[in-house]
């Protein structure tokens, strides 16, 4: 926020409250209910500590919702690094409102909006959380654009990690095209989705495109995948675009292994803007080199606006 | 061991080494290979620390084996409480040898053998570990009895937790009857298997019986399920029985919620012996009230032998 304010990039406004109806267009009602009470349920059993799952319904195990909180955490999550804390519900609902406020601005005619969402969202599926994500801000924003009249929305995901939640939410649909550039799941979280052979199913066939890239990928190769992904989006001719903006493709990101430099984020914004001409909502996803998140995000947005 | 030695229950012998062939009769080769090298692979990436998975291929995610160690841990496990340490491989192979030495003694004519296995095994499936279990000692012992001529082996699981691995391993088969008494998975780990409606599949239909019981179950109700389970085993007319012996049904167990007292373990052994008349191999599974594990295990064995 400091970087954005300094650069006078545009008006900075607070989100308004959209309630849970737009969330329920993407997430299952019982999952929303679970998240709303999970911390209190946990606290009653375990006291005031982070709520963590213990196990997962993986191979050979059944997808059955248990009745106690420990089992519910295990059912609804897919990783061991996403605690639910006293502030989680407040944070995730605020984050969704930031995304939905962005979507509303796009609908009202803005060409470019940045939603500074925290926590991120692209790993969250219809009824599953993980990867620091609970509600899928980008998917909820895309759905809200559809629900207000957009016929086709492109969801471009440039976070270092594959947005397994976003893909799964729209996998059967032809009105939201999901295009993701990310670390190869053979090597990287979330490991079990994001392969190139996942192209959509049923009427969604052809409306999902993954560009997994190996550890050590540099800008030149990244750019080739970006060009291909943008061609897909251009052909789709979207009414609006949502960009899941992670800057963990950065060379100094402590948990990621791509080699983009800060200057490449300027180019990233520029290239996207020159390829796709429709109102665009940028939603903040990952980025763990905290010192440089500001400049890298600012570079993408500046590159995009000034293209 | 101290309790067993004091009681002069029988000869105490060291295991002999059976190699990995009997393990491969139950577990997938690539899973065995993974466990054998997992700690070294982890150490090369992360240094000398416990190897832990990060996420799991749960709903919406694919069952694909990743290529790096972090992803492999995530693929091959189903919980976050089962670290792989420097000593894991040595411990799990020793534990299997303890079980197989027990099975060999049964084949050679012994009527009752106790295999003091550590770590336990009943949560481990063909290619999945968790619940402190890596190789399924009881399943490997049962399979070894089959492979040496037994036509029918009963596997009675009295651990507080459902033996999801054992069930899954034999679910399609009619030569191993799996009967389990345990905390209802609606409330208890492993949450996603162990329900009463799981009765086997294909030729294994009818050869799996679960008796889930609620938190707070006392001896009187436990005994009713036990009687029913033993009737199933009696009708099956096994050539040998393997008992997955957990004593975490104990009232003072710190992570479990049944209410058996030490004296009930004497009765448990007595009732099993009077119902089932075939060579019986007891395999140690769980039990977390460490002070009283000795007396409780001794009680089961004494009750059984003196019936």
């Amino acid at each position: 926020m400091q970087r954005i304010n300094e650069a006078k990039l545009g008006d900075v406004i607070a989100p308004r409250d959209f309630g849970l109806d737009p969330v329920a267009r993407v997430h299952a009602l019982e999952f929303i209910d679970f998240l709303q009470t999970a911390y209190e349920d946990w606290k009653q059993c375990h006291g005031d500590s982070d709520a963590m799952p213990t196990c997962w319904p993986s191979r050979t195990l059944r997808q059955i919702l248990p009745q106690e909180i420990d089992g519910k955490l295990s059912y609804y999550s897919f990783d061991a690094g996403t605690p639910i804390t006293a502030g989680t519900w407040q944070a995730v609902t605020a984050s969704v409102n930031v995304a939905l406020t962005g979507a509303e601005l796009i609908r009202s005619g803005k060409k470019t909006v940045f939603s500074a969402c925290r926590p991120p969202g692209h790993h969250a599926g219809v009824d599953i959380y993980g990867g620091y994500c609970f509600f899928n801000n980008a998917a909820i924003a895309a759905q809200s654009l559809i629900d207000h009249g957009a016929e086709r929305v492109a969801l471009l995901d440039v976070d270092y990690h594959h947005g397994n939640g976003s893909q799964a939410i729209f996998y059967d649909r032809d009105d939201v095209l999901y295009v993701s550039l990310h670390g190869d799941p053979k090597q990287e979280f979330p490991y079990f989705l994001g392969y190139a052979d996942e192209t959509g199913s049923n009427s969604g066939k052809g409306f999902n495109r993954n560009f997994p890239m190996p550890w050590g990928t540099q800008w030149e190769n990244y750019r080739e995948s970006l060009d291909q992904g943008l061609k897909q989006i251009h052909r789709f001719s979207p009414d609006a675009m949502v960009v899941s903006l992670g800057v963990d493709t950065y060379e100094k990101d402590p948990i990621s292994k791509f080699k983009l430099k800060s200057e490449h984020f300027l180019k990233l914004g520029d290239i996207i803007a020159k390829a796709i001409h429709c109102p665009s909502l940028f939603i903040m996803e990952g980025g763990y080199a905290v010192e440089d998140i500001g400049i890298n995000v600012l570079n993408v947005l500046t590159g995009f606006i000034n293209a």
Side-chain angles (χ1 to χ4, degrees), chain A residues 155-158 177-181 209 211 229-230 232-233:
Chain A
L155 176 39
L156 170 64
D157 192 328
V158 296
L177 168 68
Y178 179 72
V179 173
S180 180
L181 288 71
R209 285 301 304 268
F211 296 90
L230 291 172
Q232 299 288 327
I233 294 175

Side-chain angles (χ1 to χ4, degrees), chain A residues 22-180:
Chain A
V23 178
R25 293 285 297 144
V26 161
H27 293 287
L29 283 176
E30 69 265 21
F31 176 70
I32 298 171
D33 290 345
F34 157 78
L35 274 183
Q36 188 158 17
T37 62
Y39 188 74
E40 281 307 312
D41 293 346
W42 171 269
K43 200 171 153 185
Q44 279 184 25
C45 292
H46 300 281
D48 203 359
S49 59
D50 290 357
M52 293 293 285
T54 50
C55 73
W56 291 267
S58 192
R59 283 189 315 296
T60 72
L61 297 161
R62 295 170 74 184
Q63 302 298 334
I64 290 184
L65 179 63
Q67 110 195 350
E68 302 297 327
I69 182 63
D70 291 78
K72 284 181 179 174
L73 288 161
S74 296
Y75 176 81
Y76 281 126
S77 70
F78 72 90
D79 91 0
T82 309
I84 293 178
T85 71
T88 295
W89 178 253
Q90 190 189 357
V92 300
T93 48
S95 195
V96 163
N97 283 325
V98 171
L100 286 167
T101 300
E104 187 175 58
L105 288 166
I106 290 290
R107 295 198 317 265
S108 73
K110 295 282 183 199
K111 289 293 176 200
T112 311
V113 180
F114 172 56
S115 287
C117 294
R118 273 292 169 266
H122 72 147
H123 292 304
V126 169
D127 67 350
I128 196 160
Y129 73 94
Y132 323 144
C133 300
F134 301 89
F135 286 150
N136 193 317
N137 306 310
I140 292 166
Q143 181 64 45
S144 122
L145 292 169
I146 295 279
D147 288 342
H148 286 85
E151 289 187 9
R152 287 177 306 283
V153 173
L155 176 39
L156 170 64
D157 192 328
V158 296
D159 187 278
Y160 176 73
H161 303 96
H162 178 254
N164 57 290
S166 304
Q167 169 172 314
I169 287 166
F170 297 115
Y171 206 60
D172 279 337
R173 288 168 51 173
D174 59 6
D175 55 348
V176 178
L177 168 68
Y178 179 72
V179 173
S180 180

